[in-house]
């Protein structure tokens, strides 16, 4: 199994709206691709005050091929939608993990 972990730092002013949008729009759109069946969302509790709230979204993929398909066919589209709505109010980075 592969876990695609994306960490987002969202401005405090927009964090509630961002979280609601991710739960109601973003995650369902990702699940609709059929490439991932499981996801987990967390809020980071141990961080320095950076003027924002930090979240992680973890998407599980059964195969590397499913992950590669998600990245090549959907990732840019999904991030662009988030950018259109929350431009300048978040930054993110992603890592791919392999379950051992």
């Amino acid at each position: 199994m592969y876990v695609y972990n994306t960490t987002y730092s969202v401005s405090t002013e927009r964090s509630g709206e961002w979280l609601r949008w991710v739960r109601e729009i973003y995650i369902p759109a990702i699940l609709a691709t059929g490439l991932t069946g499981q996801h987990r969302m967390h809020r980071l509790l141990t961080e320095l005050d950076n003027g924002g709230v930090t979240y992680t979204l973890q998407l599980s993929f059964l195969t590397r091929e499913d992950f590669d398909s998600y990245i090549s066919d959907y990732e840019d589209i999904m991030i662009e939608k988030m950018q259109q709505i929350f431009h300048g109010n978040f930054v993110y980075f992603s890592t791919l993990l392999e379950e051992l």
Side-chain angles (χ1 to χ4, degrees), residues 51-64:
V53 182
T54 302
Y55 301 97
T56 65
L57 174 60
Q58 298 174 340
L59 305 173
S60 297
F61 295 88
L62 291 177
T63 67
R64 179 65 191 254

Side-chain angles (χ1 to χ4, degrees), residues 39-90:
H39 71 282
R40 298 184 80 156
M41 187 88 185
H42 300 92
R43 181 171 54 97
L44 189 63
L45 297 178
T46 56
E47 66 178 310
L48 298 174
D49 183 11
N50 64 0
V53 182
T54 302
Y55 301 97
T56 65
L57 174 60
Q58 298 174 340
L59 305 173
S60 297
F61 295 88
L62 291 177
T63 67
R64 179 65 191 254
E65 291 77 20
D66 287 345
F67 168 76
D68 290 341
S69 292
Y70 173 75
I71 293 299
S72 66
D73 297 339
Y74 300 101
E75 174 77 352
D76 289 343
I77 295 166
M78 301 303 294
I79 291 297
E80 178 59 32
K81 288 179 183 180
M82 188 180 292
Q83 288 282 8
Q84 289 172 356
I85 298 169
F86 299 101
H87 180 73
N89 287 281
F90 75 99

